[in-house]
Amino acid sequence: AMMPAPTKVNYNGFEPEKKKKPEITEATIDPSEIGLEKCQKIVKEQEFKIRKLKEKMAGIAPTKKNKAEIAAVKEQVEELQADGNYRAAMNYVRKVEEDERDKRRAEREKDDEEALVGGLGKKKGPAGPSEPAPKKQAAASSAEVQEVAGDFDADAEVVAVVKSAVEGSEDALAQLQKGAGAGSYKSAIKAEVASMASAAAELISAKMKRAATRDAALKTLRALSWNPPA
């Protein structure tokens, strides 16, 4: 004899079967066709309705008597959330915002690279009491710029530190961040700042072109932001 198919038995006669969440309705709009502003309006209006219902639900005392009313309001909220047009508009708005963020980040990275390569990275930290007088500093950095522009022998050890930083070495990055004179080198260093600037301009520019090495190149660039000639 065939076994009968098992049936679900509800032992609690007072408890109705749990309702399923409403299914997401099919979108009847094409977000890219109606554009960003209309999509934002759809999202805003729907979220306003959802918020109002949630506020209403929060205002109902959670008693047994009010259980059905709370459930009804909750269902309305879920129906609004499952609206296909609302969801399509929301996804479109989010995507546009993400694309905008990515675009701004790419532009910022490009500016960083151009600032370094063009010798415009004149970012300085807040002037602390330990810094030399601005006049002396300006004279020193202009002398260093001339040194970078003219022929000079780059200090091999300094170049090696920049190279390691560009390749992702955390130790090398930390050393560059400390600024000139902070590194301990084995050989005599004649032009530390100029060597850093020259090596950075040469190495970072090449590394920026490849996605795999761009991150370390940018970190090096930020580590050198104290260095005017760089």
Side-chain angles (χ1 to χ4, degrees), residues 32-131:
S32 55
E33 209 172 274
I34 65 169
L36 181 65
E37 270 185 44
K38 276 217 174 120
C39 284
Q40 285 172 326
K41 192 167 180 267
I42 290 170
V43 171
K44 203 175 169 184
E45 285 173 359
Q46 195 81 338
E47 283 180 348
F48 177 76
K49 288 180 196 167
I50 290 169
R51 194 172 70 245
K52 284 285 162 205
L53 283 170
K54 282 186 171 175
E55 282 169 9
K56 183 183 172 183
M57 197 159 74
I60 304 170
T63 60
K64 211 166 189 179
K65 195 171 84 147
N66 295 338
K67 205 173 173 185
E69 195 187 343
I70 293 169
V73 178
K74 190 180 176 196
E75 199 176 322
Q76 282 176 284
V77 170
E78 285 172 354
E79 270 168 18
L80 287 175
Q81 287 170 336
D83 181 82
N85 286 353
Y86 161 61
R87 295 176 83 95
M90 182 168 60
N91 288 337
Y92 181 73
V93 170
R94 278 183 189 161
K95 191 181 183 310
V96 170
E97 284 170 357
E98 271 170 31
D99 290 348
E100 273 297 310
R101 270 200 300 274
D102 290 345
K103 205 168 120 191
R104 280 201 298 273
R105 190 164 54 236
E107 278 168 10
R108 219 169 33 241
E109 288 175 3
K110 192 167 172 283
D111 289 346
D112 277 357
E113 181 188 357
E114 280 169 6
L116 179 90
V117 176
L120 300 170
K122 293 182 172 66
K123 300 175 202 148
K124 291 195 183 101
S130 61
E131 285 196 9

Side-chain angles (χ1 to χ4, degrees), residues 4 21 34 120 140 144 149 153 156 162 171 177 179 185 187-188 192 214 225-226:
K21 276 195 174 185
I34 65 169
L120 300 170
E144 282 152 1
D153 293 326
V162 175
D171 293 345
Q177 264 166 340
Y185 300 101
S187 56
E192 184 180 4
R214 192 180 296 135
S225 62
W226 56 267

